[in-house]
Amino acid sequence: MAVTKRTSSNVLLDTALKNFYAATEEMGLEDGLIEILSRAERKLCVSIPVTMDDGTVKVFEGYRVQYSTALGPAKGGLRFHPDVTLEECEALACLMAWKCSLAGIPYGGGKGGVACNPLELSTAEKERITRTFAARIEPLVGAWTDVPAPDVNTGGQEMVWLMDTISKMRNRLEPAIFTGKPVSLWGSKGRTQATGRGVATCVREVLKAAGRDVKGSTAIIQGFGNVGTYCALTLVEMGAKVVAISDITGGYYCPDGIDIQKAFDYVTNHPKHLLEGYDQPGLQKLPGEDILYLDADVLCPCALEGAIHGDNAHKIKAKFIVEGANGPVTPEGDAALPKDVIVVPDFLANAGGVVGSYFEWVQDLMGFFWTEEEYNQRLLTLMADNFWRVWNYSKEHNVPMRKGAFMVAIKRVADAVKMRGVFL
């Protein structure tokens, strides 16, 4: 019996499913495995009642999805954003399953979040939301079941609140449940920079594969959050020139190069950690989307999903797109890109974060911590090895890197499901 392909009105989930089905068709994967791997194992929806600072009570919606645990505990971030939905979490958990598989680490895929606007919340309100959310998801998470991490609008402080809440509920310290924690509280040196450094490593390697040098190359970084900032800083360390950056306040372009350290310091000290008001000689302010269409060697979309789609992909001038965000190029965008553009897919390029989380988890389980030099050496070596494995596989099978990465990742999970059996 032929597989009935799932579809979704959610763009990101529909994109994840289309990429999955395209890869399984190319692989000739058997129907039963396609049915299993096209669905999440578990989806949790919770209500989060919170007393706001003005004394009123507001109820927020929270989600946690465990897409696959065939290879190990579910792994994936928790985001705070007004547009968080169950479908979005399922899509991101699906991508995490393939990302962890592709990285060769012993994790499955998970994702979650709370539908809220952090810019409208006080620190005390965010803490109450985080701790109540932790209590609601407590039955599902654990060092060997589900290991969440930071994502959009969350960071080390939120991970500490989560860890502390569940530790108190269980009457024992649980440091290995959450990764992305501050170094002073069971975090790992190098973890904060890991995703951005991994993206920059893939930039370097794809340029090398094309016979070019990262030194002297030009780059556009869309999104100047955690991933974008450390990608930009690492590229500058490698000798590249970042000519444009952006965040929700707009785009900032300087053909002679952005002073990335200055921009990073400005955002760090801004009350809301935004680029609004940033200036330097020769800087031009543009609408945020417009920086996508500037002339540069490399474009790194590091903001939210769907930035490059069927209606704007033809405007892209960069010859290399290295995806720092999850799903920044839709399938329609892939099809509409100029034929000579090489795309390094998200779950390969931005896997530095989950690899870094894996390192932190290992250190927490052992109670033994590495130096930052050890951490970075292992991270960059593993990221480069992953890139070349996918690059070589794609060339051997004559498929784009995105499809090749899916095929490599899906096969590892499918093999695990077959060995373990249908009952998981």
Side-chain angles (χ1 to χ4, degrees), residues 87-336:
E87 292 79 13
E88 178 190 60
C89 291
E90 183 178 1
L92 295 170
C94 174
L95 292 173
M96 284 301 301
W98 314 139
K99 182 186 295 187
C100 293
S101 172
L102 190 65
I105 55 180
Y107 282 145
K111 208 75 173 188
V114 177
C116 66
N117 187 349
L119 298 178
E120 297 176 353
L121 301 170
S122 69
T123 299
E125 288 169 337
K126 280 194 285 187
E127 179 176 359
R128 290 193 286 272
I129 289 171
T130 304
R131 288 186 181 275
T132 305
F133 181 54
R136 293 289 201 241
I137 66 172
E138 186 273 336
L140 264 66
V141 297
W144 291 101
T145 53
D146 189 350
V147 185
D151 201 87
V152 176
N153 294 322
T154 62
Q157 179 61 78
E158 286 77 14
M159 297 305 108
V160 169
W161 289 331
L162 290 159
M163 177 190 73
D164 183 66
T165 301
I166 291 180
S167 293
K168 286 173 178 173
M169 292 177 70
R170 297 181 180 176
N171 198 32
R172 65 177 184 268
L173 183 64
E174 293 278 11
I177 296 182
F178 299 97
T179 58
K181 304 179 298 296
V183 173
S184 59
L185 280 172
W186 292 78
S188 179
K189 293 177 181 178
R191 171 63 185 85
T192 301
Q193 304 92 334
T195 306
R197 284 188 178 278
V199 175
T201 300
C202 285
V203 171
R204 183 189 66 193
E205 298 305 312
V206 74
L207 288 171
K208 187 186 299 182
R212 302 174 65 171
D213 194 338
V214 68
K215 190 173 292 186
S217 64
T218 55
I220 299 163
I221 311 294
Q222 186 224 12
F224 208 63
N226 175 270
V227 178
T229 53
Y230 287 111
C231 173
L233 286 166
T234 306
L235 285 175
V236 170
E237 288 176 9
M238 292 175 175
K241 180 167 66 174
V242 177
V243 296
I245 56 179
S246 72
D247 66 5
I248 60 172
T249 67
Y252 301 79
Y253 170 59
C254 182
D256 294 328
I258 303 282
D259 186 335
I260 295 299
Q261 186 62 55
K262 181 181 176 183
F264 174 78
D265 292 340
Y266 182 88
V267 168
T268 301
N269 294 315
H270 190 283
K272 294 186 176 180
H273 303 296
L274 298 173
L275 281 165
E276 185 176 27
Y278 175 73
D279 197 16
Q280 69 173 63
L283 190 73
Q284 302 173 37
K285 181 76 183 294
L286 303 171
E289 183 177 306
D290 287 4
I291 73 162
L292 295 171
Y293 317 130
L294 296 172
D295 195 5
D297 297 315
V298 183
L299 168 61
C300 298
C302 297
L304 295 175
E305 62 274 358
I308 300 171
H309 44 78
D311 295 330
N312 69 353
H314 66 282
K315 301 179 185 178
I316 302 297
K317 295 185 177 69
K319 298 304 179 187
F320 303 91
I321 297 176
V322 181
E323 297 182 326
N326 292 309
V329 183
T330 68
E332 294 76 16
D334 266 333

Side-chain angles (χ1 to χ4, degrees), residues 50-67:
V50 173
T51 302
M52 308 302 284
D53 290 347
D54 63 4
T56 62
V57 174
K58 187 172 181 179
V59 179
F60 298 87
E61 297 296 320
Y63 310 96
R64 186 66 185 174
V65 176
Q66 296 171 352
Y67 195 88

